[in-house]
Amino acid sequence: MAQNSSTFVSETRDRETWVRPAVEREAVADVSPDQLLATAALVRGVMLAIPVPDDAEARARAMAVNQFQQQLVERSTQQVPRAPWYLRLGSLMRFVFTLGRRR
């Protein structure tokens, strides 16, 4: 059963003695300290609710390395696209005219 938000705020206030002075020190005119404490309680609840396996970092790194290697293999097997003949002819003509001007 979900707890009341005021219960979360009071529990956070009781457990985290540093939160109240930090909230008061960083006071913003638009936000009340109780709203900031409620946000702190929500963040704490979310952080504690996510189970993280012990080997998650190693598995994520292995997956990333595998994907990088697959991309490297795919890029090495792809053929470099070649320009059509008329673009190559245009480059040749530009080269010829440039040589002619320099002399």
Side-chain angles (χ1 to χ4, degrees):
M1 183 174 185
Q3 288 182 323
N4 191 343
S5 64
S6 62
T7 308
F8 282 128
V9 172
S10 64
E11 287 178 2
T12 301
R13 191 179 298 135
D14 295 340
R15 226 183 352 223
E16 306 291 343
T17 57
W18 60 271
V19 172
R20 176 61 91 181
V23 166
E24 290 171 354
R25 186 174 54 245
E26 299 292 332
V28 180
D30 299 342
V31 182
S32 71
D34 287 335
Q35 287 176 329
L36 291 175
L37 286 172
T39 303
L42 178 65
V43 170
R44 172 179 278 285
V46 168
M47 293 297 291
L48 294 177
I50 300 173
V52 179
D54 293 336
D55 62 338
E57 184 178 351
R59 282 189 296 143
R61 182 183 181 283
M63 285 175 41
V65 168
N66 285 338
Q67 287 194 354
F68 286 141
Q69 288 178 348
Q70 286 176 354
Q71 286 181 355
L72 182 64
V73 168
E74 288 174 5
R75 288 180 183 167
S76 66
T77 58
Q78 290 177 352
Q79 292 183 358
V80 178
R82 195 162 177 189
W85 66 270
Y86 53 85
L87 290 179
R88 285 182 283 166
L89 178 64
S91 297
L92 177 65
M93 296 301 288
R94 191 171 337 144
F95 178 73
V96 168
F97 288 126
T98 305
L99 279 179
R101 286 187 188 176
R102 289 187 183 172
R103 288 188 179 179

